Coordinates of all heavy atoms in Angstrom, one line a residue:
M481 N -2.0 -188.9 7.7 CA -2.6 -189.0 9.0 C -4.0 -188.5 9.1 O -4.3 -187.4 8.7 CB -1.7 -188.2 10.0 CG -2.1 -188.2 11.4 SD -0.9 -187.4 12.4 CE -1.9 -186.5 13.5
D482 N -4.9 -189.3 9.5 CA -6.3 -188.9 9.7 C -6.5 -188.2 11.0 O -5.9 -188.5 12.0 CB -7.2 -190.1 9.7 CG -7.3 -190.8 8.4 OD1 -7.1 -190.0 7.4 OD2 -7.6 -192.0 8.3
M483 N -7.3 -187.1 10.9 CA -7.6 -186.4 12.1 C -9.1 -186.6 12.5 O -9.9 -186.3 11.6 CB -7.3 -184.9 11.9 CG -7.5 -184.1 13.2 SD -6.8 -182.5 12.9 CE -7.9 -181.5 14.0
H484 N -9.4 -187.0 13.6 CA -10.7 -187.2 14.1 C -11.1 -186.2 15.2 O -10.3 -186.1 16.1 CB -11.0 -188.7 14.6 CG -10.8 -189.7 13.5 ND1 -11.7 -190.0 12.5 CD2 -9.7 -190.4 13.2 CE1 -11.3 -190.9 11.7 NE2 -10.1 -191.2 12.1
V485 N -12.2 -185.6 15.0 CA -12.6 -184.6 16.1 C -13.7 -185.3 16.8 O -14.7 -185.7 16.2 CB -13.1 -183.3 15.5 CG1 -13.6 -182.4 16.5 CG2 -12.0 -182.6 14.7
Y486 N -13.5 -185.4 18.1 CA -14.6 -186.0 19.0 C -15.7 -185.0 19.2 O -15.5 -183.9 19.7 CB -14.0 -186.5 20.3 CG -15.1 -187.0 21.2 CD1 -15.7 -188.3 21.0 CD2 -15.6 -186.3 22.3 CE1 -16.7 -188.7 21.8 CE2 -16.6 -186.7 23.1 CZ -17.1 -188.0 22.9 OH -18.1 -188.5 23.7
M487 N -16.9 -185.4 18.8 CA -18.1 -184.6 19.0 C -19.0 -185.4 20.0 O -19.5 -186.5 19.6 CB -18.8 -184.3 17.7 CG -18.1 -183.5 16.8 SD -18.0 -181.8 17.3 CE -19.6 -181.3 17.1
G488 N -19.1 -185.0 21.2 CA -19.9 -185.7 22.1 C -21.4 -185.6 21.8 O -21.8 -184.9 20.9
Y489 N -22.2 -186.5 22.4 CA -23.6 -186.5 22.2 C -24.3 -185.4 23.1 O -23.7 -184.9 24.1 CB -24.2 -187.9 22.5 CG -23.7 -188.9 21.5 CD1 -22.8 -189.9 21.9 CD2 -24.1 -188.8 20.2 CE1 -22.3 -190.8 21.0 CE2 -23.6 -189.8 19.3 CZ -22.8 -190.7 19.7 OH -22.3 -191.6 18.7
C490 N -25.4 -185.0 22.7 CA -26.2 -184.0 23.3 C -26.9 -184.6 24.5 O -27.8 -185.4 24.4 CB -27.2 -183.3 22.3 SG -28.0 -181.9 23.0
G491 N -26.6 -184.1 25.7 CA -27.3 -184.5 26.9 C -28.3 -183.5 27.3 O -28.5 -182.5 26.6
W492 N -28.9 -183.7 28.4 CA -30.0 -182.8 28.9 C -29.5 -181.4 29.1 O -30.1 -180.4 28.7 CB -30.6 -183.4 30.1 CG -31.7 -182.5 30.7 CD1 -31.7 -182.0 32.0 CD2 -32.9 -182.0 30.1 NE1 -32.8 -181.2 32.2 CE2 -33.5 -181.2 31.0 CE3 -33.4 -182.2 28.8 CZ2 -34.7 -180.6 30.7 CZ3 -34.6 -181.5 28.5 CH2 -35.2 -180.7 29.4
E493 N -28.4 -181.2 29.8 CA -27.9 -179.9 30.1 C -27.5 -179.1 28.8 O -27.8 -177.9 28.7 CB -26.7 -179.9 31.0 CG -27.1 -180.4 32.5 CD -28.1 -179.5 33.1 OE1 -28.1 -178.3 33.0 OE2 -29.0 -180.1 33.8
A494 N -26.9 -179.8 27.9 CA -26.6 -179.2 26.6 C -27.8 -178.8 25.8 O -27.9 -177.7 25.2 CB -25.7 -180.1 25.8
F495 N -28.8 -179.7 25.9 CA -30.1 -179.4 25.2 C -30.7 -178.1 25.8 O -31.2 -177.2 25.1 CB -31.1 -180.5 25.3 CG -32.4 -180.1 24.8 CD1 -32.7 -180.0 23.5 CD2 -33.4 -179.8 25.8 CE1 -34.0 -179.5 23.1 CE2 -34.7 -179.3 25.4 CZ -34.9 -179.2 24.0
K496 N -30.8 -178.0 27.1 CA -31.4 -176.9 27.8 C -30.6 -175.6 27.4 O -31.3 -174.5 27.2 CB -31.4 -177.0 29.3 CG -32.4 -178.0 29.8 CD -32.7 -177.9 31.3 CE -31.4 -178.0 32.1 NZ -31.7 -178.0 33.6
T497 N -29.3 -175.7 27.3 CA -28.5 -174.5 26.8 C -28.9 -174.1 25.4 O -29.1 -172.9 25.1 CB -27.0 -174.8 26.9 OG1 -26.7 -175.1 28.3 CG2 -26.2 -173.6 26.5
L498 N -29.0 -175.1 24.5 CA -29.4 -174.8 23.1 C -30.8 -174.1 23.1 O -31.0 -173.1 22.4 CB -29.4 -176.0 22.3 CG -28.0 -176.6 22.0 CD1 -28.1 -178.0 21.4 CD2 -27.2 -175.7 21.1
A499 N -31.8 -174.7 23.8 CA -33.1 -174.1 23.8 C -33.1 -172.7 24.4 O -33.8 -171.8 23.8 CB -34.0 -175.0 24.7
R500 N -32.3 -172.5 25.4 CA -32.2 -171.1 26.0 C -31.6 -170.2 25.0 O -32.1 -169.0 24.8 CB -31.5 -171.2 27.3 CG -31.4 -169.9 28.1 CD -30.9 -170.0 29.5 NE -29.7 -170.8 29.6 CZ -29.7 -172.1 30.1 NH1 -30.8 -172.6 30.6 NH2 -28.5 -172.7 30.2
N501 N -30.6 -170.6 24.3 CA -29.9 -169.8 23.3 C -30.8 -169.4 22.1 O -30.7 -168.3 21.6 CB -28.6 -170.4 22.9 CG -27.5 -170.4 23.9 OD1 -27.6 -169.7 24.9 ND2 -26.5 -171.2 23.7
Y502 N -31.5 -170.4 21.6 CA -32.3 -170.2 20.4 C -33.6 -169.5 20.7 O -34.1 -168.7 19.9 CB -32.6 -171.5 19.7 CG -31.4 -172.1 19.0 CD1 -30.8 -173.2 19.4 CD2 -31.0 -171.4 17.8 CE1 -29.7 -173.7 18.7 CE2 -29.9 -171.9 17.1 CZ -29.2 -173.0 17.5 OH -28.2 -173.5 16.8
F503 N -34.3 -169.8 21.9 CA -35.6 -169.3 22.1 C -35.8 -168.6 23.4 O -36.9 -168.2 23.8 CB -36.6 -170.5 22.1 CG -36.7 -171.2 20.7 CD1 -36.1 -172.4 20.5 CD2 -37.2 -170.5 19.7 CE1 -36.1 -173.0 19.3 CE2 -37.3 -171.1 18.4 CZ -36.7 -172.3 18.2
L504 N -34.7 -168.4 24.2 CA -34.8 -167.7 25.5 C -35.8 -168.3 26.4 O -36.6 -167.6 27.1 CB -35.1 -166.2 25.3 CG -34.2 -165.5 24.4 CD1 -34.6 -164.0 24.1 CD2 -32.7 -165.5 24.9
I505 N -35.9 -169.7 26.4 CA -36.8 -170.4 27.3 C -36.0 -171.3 28.2 O -34.9 -171.8 27.9 CB -37.8 -171.2 26.5 CG1 -37.2 -172.2 25.6 CG2 -38.8 -170.3 25.8 CD1 -38.2 -173.2 24.9
N506 N -36.5 -171.5 29.4 CA -35.9 -172.4 30.4 C -36.8 -173.6 30.7 O -36.4 -174.5 31.5 CB -35.6 -171.6 31.7 CG -34.5 -170.6 31.5 OD1 -33.4 -170.9 31.0 ND2 -34.8 -169.4 31.9
D507 N -38.0 -173.6 30.2 CA -38.9 -174.7 30.5 C -40.0 -174.7 29.3 O -40.2 -173.7 28.7 CB -39.6 -174.5 31.8 CG -40.3 -175.7 32.3 OD1 -39.9 -176.8 31.8 OD2 -41.2 -175.7 33.2
H508 N -40.5 -175.9 29.1 CA -41.5 -176.0 28.1 C -42.2 -177.4 28.4 O -41.6 -178.3 28.9 CB -40.9 -176.1 26.7 CG -41.8 -176.1 25.6 ND1 -42.4 -177.2 25.1 CD2 -42.3 -175.0 24.8 CE1 -43.2 -176.9 24.1 NE2 -43.2 -175.6 23.9
P509 N -43.5 -177.5 28.0 CA -44.2 -178.8 28.3 C -43.6 -180.0 27.6 O -43.7 -181.1 28.1 CB -45.6 -178.5 27.7 CG -45.8 -177.0 27.8 CD -44.4 -176.4 27.5
L510 N -42.8 -179.8 26.5 CA -42.1 -180.9 25.9 C -40.8 -181.3 26.5 O -40.2 -182.4 26.2 CB -41.9 -180.6 24.4 CG -43.1 -180.7 23.5 CD1 -42.8 -180.2 22.1 CD2 -43.6 -182.1 23.4
F511 N -40.3 -180.5 27.5 CA -39.0 -180.8 28.1 C -39.0 -182.2 28.7 O -38.0 -182.9 28.5 CB -38.6 -179.7 29.1 CG -37.9 -178.5 28.5 CD1 -38.0 -178.3 27.1 CD2 -37.2 -177.6 29.3 CE1 -37.3 -177.2 26.5 CE2 -36.6 -176.5 28.7 CZ -36.6 -176.3 27.4
P512 N -40.0 -182.6 29.5 CA -39.9 -184.0 30.1 C -39.7 -185.1 29.1 O -38.9 -186.0 29.3 CB -41.2 -184.1 30.9 CG -41.6 -182.7 31.2 CD -41.1 -181.9 30.0
E513 N -40.5 -185.0 28.0 CA -40.4 -186.0 26.9 C -39.1 -186.0 26.3 O -38.4 -187.0 26.0 CB -41.5 -185.7 25.9 CG -41.5 -186.7 24.7 CD -42.5 -186.3 23.6 OE1 -43.4 -185.5 23.9 OE2 -42.4 -186.9 22.6
I514 N -38.6 -184.8 26.0 CA -37.3 -184.6 25.3 C -36.2 -185.1 26.3 O -35.2 -185.8 25.8 CB -37.0 -183.2 24.9 CG1 -38.0 -182.8 23.7 CG2 -35.6 -182.9 24.5 CD1 -38.0 -181.4 23.4
Q515 N -36.3 -184.8 27.6 CA -35.3 -185.3 28.5 C -35.2 -186.8 28.5 O -34.1 -187.4 28.5 CB -35.6 -184.8 29.9 CG -34.5 -185.1 30.9 CD -34.8 -184.5 32.3 OE1 -35.8 -184.0 32.6 NE2 -33.7 -184.5 33.1
A516 N -36.4 -187.5 28.6 CA -36.4 -188.9 28.6 C -35.8 -189.5 27.3 O -35.1 -190.5 27.4 CB -37.9 -189.4 28.8
L517 N -36.2 -188.9 26.2 CA -35.6 -189.4 24.9 C -34.1 -189.2 24.8 O -33.4 -190.1 24.3 CB -36.4 -188.7 23.7 CG -37.8 -189.2 23.5 CD1 -38.5 -188.2 22.6 CD2 -37.9 -190.6 23.0
L518 N -33.6 -188.1 25.3 CA -32.2 -187.9 25.2 C -31.4 -188.9 26.0 O -30.3 -189.2 25.7 CB -31.8 -186.5 25.8 CG -32.1 -185.3 24.8 CD1 -31.9 -184.0 25.5 CD2 -31.2 -185.4 23.6
S519 N -32.0 -189.4 27.1 CA -31.3 -190.5 27.9 C -31.3 -191.8 27.2 O -30.6 -192.7 27.6 CB -31.9 -190.6 29.3 OG -33.2 -191.1 29.2
A520 N -32.2 -191.9 26.1 CA -32.4 -193.2 25.5 C -31.7 -193.3 24.1 O -31.5 -194.4 23.6 CB -33.8 -193.5 25.3
V521 N -31.3 -192.2 23.5 CA -30.7 -192.2 22.2 C -29.5 -191.4 22.1 O -29.2 -190.6 23.0 CB -31.7 -191.7 21.1 CG1 -33.0 -192.5 21.1 CG2 -32.1 -190.2 21.3
E522 N -28.7 -191.5 21.1 CA -27.5 -190.7 20.8 C -27.8 -189.8 19.7 O -28.1 -190.2 18.6 CB -26.3 -191.7 20.5 CG -25.9 -192.5 21.7 CD -24.8 -193.5 21.3 OE1 -24.5 -193.7 20.1 OE2 -24.1 -194.0 22.2
V523 N -27.7 -188.5 20.0 CA -27.9 -187.4 19.0 C -26.8 -186.4 19.3 O -26.5 -186.1 20.4 CB -29.3 -186.9 19.1 CG1 -29.6 -186.2 20.5 CG2 -29.6 -185.9 18.0
T524 N -26.3 -185.8 18.2 CA -25.3 -184.7 18.4 C -25.9 -183.4 18.6 O -27.1 -183.1 18.2 CB -24.3 -184.7 17.2 OG1 -25.1 -184.2 16.1 CG2 -23.7 -186.0 16.9
P525 N -25.2 -182.5 19.3 CA -25.7 -181.1 19.4 C -26.0 -180.5 18.1 O -26.9 -179.7 17.9 CB -24.5 -180.4 20.1 CG -23.8 -181.4 20.9 CD -23.9 -182.7 20.0
A526 N -25.2 -180.8 17.0 CA -25.5 -180.3 15.7 C -26.8 -180.8 15.2 O -27.6 -180.0 14.5 CB -24.4 -180.7 14.7
E527 N -27.2 -182.0 15.4 CA -28.5 -182.5 15.0 C -29.6 -181.8 15.7 O -30.6 -181.4 15.0 CB -28.6 -184.0 15.2 CG -27.8 -184.9 14.3 CD -27.8 -186.3 14.7 OE1 -27.3 -186.7 15.8 OE2 -28.5 -187.1 13.9
V528 N -29.5 -181.6 17.0 CA -30.5 -180.8 17.7 C -30.6 -179.4 17.2 O -31.7 -178.9 17.0 CB -30.2 -180.9 19.2 CG1 -31.1 -180.0 20.0 CG2 -30.3 -182.3 19.7
S529 N -29.4 -178.8 17.0 CA -29.4 -177.4 16.6 C -30.1 -177.3 15.2 O -30.9 -176.3 15.0 CB -28.0 -176.9 16.5 OG -27.4 -176.7 17.7
E530 N -29.9 -178.2 14.3 CA -30.5 -178.2 13.0 C -32.0 -178.2 13.2 O -32.7 -177.5 12.5 CB -30.1 -179.4 12.2 CG -30.7 -179.5 10.8 CD -30.2 -180.7 10.0 OE1 -29.1 -181.2 10.3 OE2 -31.0 -181.1 9.1
M531 N -32.6 -179.0 14.1 CA -34.0 -179.1 14.3 C -34.5 -177.8 14.9 O -35.6 -177.3 14.5 CB -34.4 -180.3 15.2 CG -34.1 -181.6 14.6 SD -34.8 -181.9 12.9 CE -36.5 -181.8 13.3
L532 N -33.8 -177.2 15.8 CA -34.2 -176.0 16.4 C -34.2 -174.8 15.4 O -35.0 -173.9 15.6 CB -33.3 -175.6 17.6 CG -33.4 -176.6 18.8 CD1 -32.4 -176.2 19.9 CD2 -34.8 -176.6 19.4
L533 N -33.3 -174.9 14.5 CA -33.3 -173.8 13.5 C -34.4 -173.9 12.4 O -34.6 -172.9 11.6 CB -31.9 -173.8 12.8 CG -30.7 -173.3 13.6 CD1 -29.4 -173.6 12.9 CD2 -30.9 -171.8 13.8
R534 N -35.1 -174.9 12.4 CA -36.1 -175.1 11.3 C -37.3 -174.3 11.5 O -38.1 -174.1 10.6 CB -36.5 -176.6 11.2 CG -35.4 -177.4 10.6 CD -35.9 -178.8 10.3 NE -34.8 -179.6 9.7 CZ -34.9 -180.8 9.2 NH1 -36.0 -181.4 9.4 NH2 -33.9 -181.4 8.7
S535 N -37.5 -173.7 12.7 CA -38.7 -172.9 12.9 C -38.4 -171.8 13.9 O -37.6 -172.0 14.8 CB -39.9 -173.7 13.5 OG -41.0 -172.9 13.8
E536 N -38.9 -170.6 13.7 CA -38.8 -169.5 14.7 C -39.8 -169.7 15.8 O -39.7 -169.0 16.8 CB -39.0 -168.2 14.0 CG -37.9 -167.9 13.0 CD -38.0 -166.5 12.4 OE1 -38.9 -165.7 12.8 OE2 -37.3 -166.3 11.4
D537 N -40.7 -170.6 15.7 CA -41.7 -170.9 16.7 C -41.1 -172.0 17.7 O -40.9 -173.1 17.2 CB -43.0 -171.4 16.1 CG -44.0 -171.8 17.1 OD1 -44.4 -170.9 17.9 OD2 -44.4 -172.9 17.2
A538 N -41.0 -171.7 18.9 CA -40.4 -172.7 19.9 C -41.2 -173.9 19.9 O -40.6 -175.0 20.0 CB -40.3 -172.0 21.3
D539 N -42.5 -173.9 20.0 CA -43.4 -175.1 20.0 C -43.1 -176.0 18.9 O -42.9 -177.2 19.0 CB -44.8 -174.7 20.0 CG -45.3 -174.0 21.3 OD1 -44.6 -174.2 22.4 OD2 -46.2 -173.2 21.2
A540 N -43.0 -175.4 17.7 CA -42.8 -176.2 16.5 C -41.4 -176.8 16.5 O -41.2 -178.0 16.1 CB -43.0 -175.4 15.2
A541 N -40.4 -176.0 16.8 CA -39.0 -176.5 16.8 C -38.8 -177.6 17.9 O -38.2 -178.6 17.6 CB -38.1 -175.3 17.1
L542 N -39.4 -177.4 19.0 CA -39.2 -178.4 20.1 C -40.0 -179.7 19.7 O -39.5 -180.8 20.0 CB -39.7 -177.9 21.4 CG -38.8 -176.8 22.0 CD1 -39.4 -176.2 23.2 CD2 -37.4 -177.3 22.3
Q543 N -41.1 -179.6 19.0 CA -41.8 -180.8 18.6 C -40.9 -181.5 17.5 O -40.9 -182.7 17.5 CB -43.2 -180.4 18.0 CG -44.0 -181.6 17.5 CD -44.2 -182.6 18.7 OE1 -44.8 -182.2 19.7 NE2 -43.8 -183.8 18.6
G544 N -40.2 -180.7 16.7 CA -39.3 -181.3 15.7 C -38.2 -182.1 16.4 O -37.8 -183.2 16.0
V545 N -37.7 -181.6 17.5 CA -36.6 -182.3 18.3 C -37.2 -183.6 18.8 O -36.6 -184.6 18.7 CB -36.0 -181.4 19.4 CG1 -35.1 -182.2 20.3 CG2 -35.3 -180.2 18.8
A546 N -38.4 -183.5 19.5 CA -39.0 -184.6 20.1 C -39.3 -185.7 19.0 O -39.1 -186.9 19.2 CB -40.3 -184.2 20.8
T547 N -39.7 -185.3 17.8 CA -40.0 -186.2 16.7 C -38.7 -186.9 16.3 O -38.7 -188.1 16.1 CB -40.7 -185.5 15.5 OG1 -41.9 -185.0 16.0 CG2 -40.9 -186.5 14.4
L548 N -37.6 -186.1 16.1 CA -36.3 -186.7 15.7 C -35.9 -187.7 16.7 O -35.5 -188.8 16.4 CB -35.3 -185.6 15.6 CG -33.8 -186.0 15.5 CD1 -33.6 -186.6 14.1 CD2 -32.9 -184.9 15.7
L549 N -36.0 -187.4 18.0 CA -35.5 -188.3 19.0 C -36.4 -189.6 19.1 O -35.9 -190.7 19.3 CB -35.5 -187.6 20.4 CG -34.5 -186.4 20.5 CD1 -34.7 -185.7 21.9 CD2 -33.1 -186.8 20.3
G550 N -37.7 -189.4 18.9 CA -38.6 -190.5 18.9 C -38.3 -191.5 17.8 O -38.4 -192.7 17.9
E551 N -38.0 -190.9 16.6 CA -37.7 -191.7 15.5 C -36.4 -192.5 15.7 O -36.2 -193.7 15.3 CB -37.6 -190.9 14.2 CG -38.9 -190.3 13.7 CD -38.8 -189.3 12.6 OE1 -37.7 -188.9 12.3 OE2 -39.8 -188.9 12.1
K552 N -35.4 -191.8 16.3 CA -34.1 -192.5 16.6 C -34.4 -193.7 17.6 O -33.8 -194.7 17.5 CB -33.1 -191.6 17.2 CG -32.5 -190.7 16.1 CD -31.4 -189.7 16.8 CE -30.6 -189.0 15.7 NZ -29.5 -189.9 15.2
K553 N -35.2 -193.4 18.6 CA -35.5 -194.5 19.6 C -36.2 -195.6 19.0 O -35.9 -196.8 19.2 CB -36.3 -193.9 20.7 CG -36.6 -194.9 21.8 CD -37.3 -194.3 23.0 CE -37.5 -195.3 24.1 NZ -38.3 -194.8 25.2
Q554 N -37.2 -195.3 18.1 CA -37.9 -196.4 17.4 C -36.9 -197.2 16.5 O -37.1 -198.4 16.4 CB -39.0 -195.8 16.5 CG -39.9 -196.8 15.9 CD -41.1 -196.2 15.1 OE1 -41.1 -195.0 14.9 NE2 -42.0 -197.0 14.6
A555 N -36.0 -196.5 15.8 CA -35.0 -197.2 15.0 C -34.2 -198.2 15.8 O -33.9 -199.3 15.4 CB -34.1 -196.3 14.3
I556 N -33.8 -197.7 17.1 CA -33.1 -198.6 18.0 C -33.9 -199.8 18.3 O -33.4 -201.0 18.3 CB -32.7 -197.9 19.3 CG1 -31.6 -196.8 18.9 CG2 -32.1 -198.8 20.3 CD1 -31.4 -195.8 20.1
G557 N -35.1 -199.6 18.6 CA -36.0 -200.7 19.0 C -36.2 -201.7 17.8 O -36.5 -202.9 18.1
E558 N -36.1 -201.2 16.6 CA -36.3 -202.1 15.4 C -35.0 -202.8 15.0 O -34.9 -203.5 14.1 CB -36.8 -201.3 14.2 CG -38.2 -200.8 14.5 CD -38.7 -199.8 13.4 OE1 -37.9 -199.5 12.5 OE2 -39.8 -199.4 13.5
G559 N -33.9 -202.4 15.8 CA -32.6 -203.0 15.5 C -31.9 -202.4 14.3 O -31.0 -203.0 13.7
N560 N -32.2 -201.2 13.9 CA -31.6 -200.5 12.8 C -30.3 -199.8 13.3 O -30.3 -199.2 14.2 CB -32.5 -199.5 12.1 CG -33.6 -200.3 11.4 OD1 -33.5 -201.5 11.1 ND2 -34.7 -199.6 11.1

């Protein structure tokens, strides 16, 4: 018997919680861009967490998240 664990996608509220937990921030200039991208692509909380963990600098980590989401959106547009 296969067991499948459902892992939902990361929405805006979940992202804000992750950002607050990792960097103690509630707002950032990249938040509007990230919010728009999250509504357009499917990304797991684990993928977002992995990007946030790549840097202790909030600016760099959030730019990494925005880049990841932008690449996913571009891949959707290209039909991949």
Side-chain angles (χ1 to χ4, degrees):
M481 178 172 136
D482 288 334
M483 183 170 152
H484 296 279
V485 177
Y486 174 74
M487 295 288 290
Y489 292 110
C490 187
W492 175 239
E493 292 303 319
F495 168 77
K496 286 195 308 184
T497 298
L498 291 170
R500 188 169 43 252
N501 288 346
Y502 286 109
F503 296 108
L504 303 176
I505 59 173
N506 293 307
D507 196 19
H508 188 276
L510 284 172
F511 275 16
E513 177 183 349
I514 291 171
Q515 183 176 17
L517 287 166
L518 281 171
S519 69
V521 301
E522 294 178 340
V523 62
T524 66
E527 288 174 290
V528 172
S529 293
E530 180 182 335
M531 295 307 298
L532 292 174
L533 286 169
R534 289 191 178 181
S535 177
E536 292 183 12
D537 177 63
D539 294 331
L542 293 173
Q543 184 59 58
V545 171
T547 300
L548 169 72
L549 297 174
E551 289 170 354
K552 284 182 170 280
K553 184 175 181 184
Q554 186 176 7
I556 292 169
E558 295 171 356
N560 292 343

